[in-house]
Amino acid sequence: MRSWHFNLVLDAPLTEQQRDIMNGSDRVAQGGIGLAERPGFHRFICVVRADTLTDAIADALGRIGDVPGVLIRSVELDEIALDENGMSTPAVVPAPPPVEAAL
């Protein structure tokens, strides 16, 4: 088995009730899933041990599925995850830097 890196992007921020359920969940407490939130940015950053990336994603989704009402919008592999997963190649173009607002 190996560690797989990916992000699960949430459809909406967690409610206080969902946070309480997650904090009390033994399956979520197994590790490898961390919540990252800020305005417009709600996701679980995952590093899950499994034989395949598909198995790792299924494991994380199963554990998060124990919390009622949490909806995952997408699974993302950013440039860091691609590199950590050994999937980075010359054909993978990193995202451009953010555009700074004009003064």
Side-chain angles (χ1 to χ4, degrees):
M1 274 203 276
R2 59 177 281 193
S3 293
W4 294 97
H5 299 248
F6 55 93
N7 297 316
L8 298 176
V9 180
L10 297 165
D11 190 46
L14 294 179
T15 65
E16 287 302 316
Q17 181 181 14
Q18 289 168 328
R19 287 175 193 276
D20 291 343
I21 293 169
M22 282 191 65
N23 290 336
S25 169
D26 290 338
R27 287 181 14 108
V28 173
Q30 290 174 352
I33 300 174
L35 180 62
E37 290 186 295
R38 62 180 185 260
F41 184 93
H42 314 284
R43 66 191 66 216
F44 292 105
I45 299 171
C46 304
V47 180
V48 177
R49 291 191 53 76
D51 290 328
T52 67
L53 176 58
T54 303
D55 290 342
I57 293 169
D59 176 64
L61 288 172
R63 290 193 273 154
I64 292 167
D66 290 351
V67 182
V70 174
L71 297 176
I72 302 299
R73 181 179 48 168
S74 63
V75 177
E76 288 184 353
L77 297 169
D78 59 20
E79 63 275 3
I80 295 169
L82 288 170
D83 186 50
E84 291 291 333
N85 292 338
M87 302 166 84
S88 184
T89 71
V92 176
V93 177
V99 177
E100 294 187 29
L103 299 176

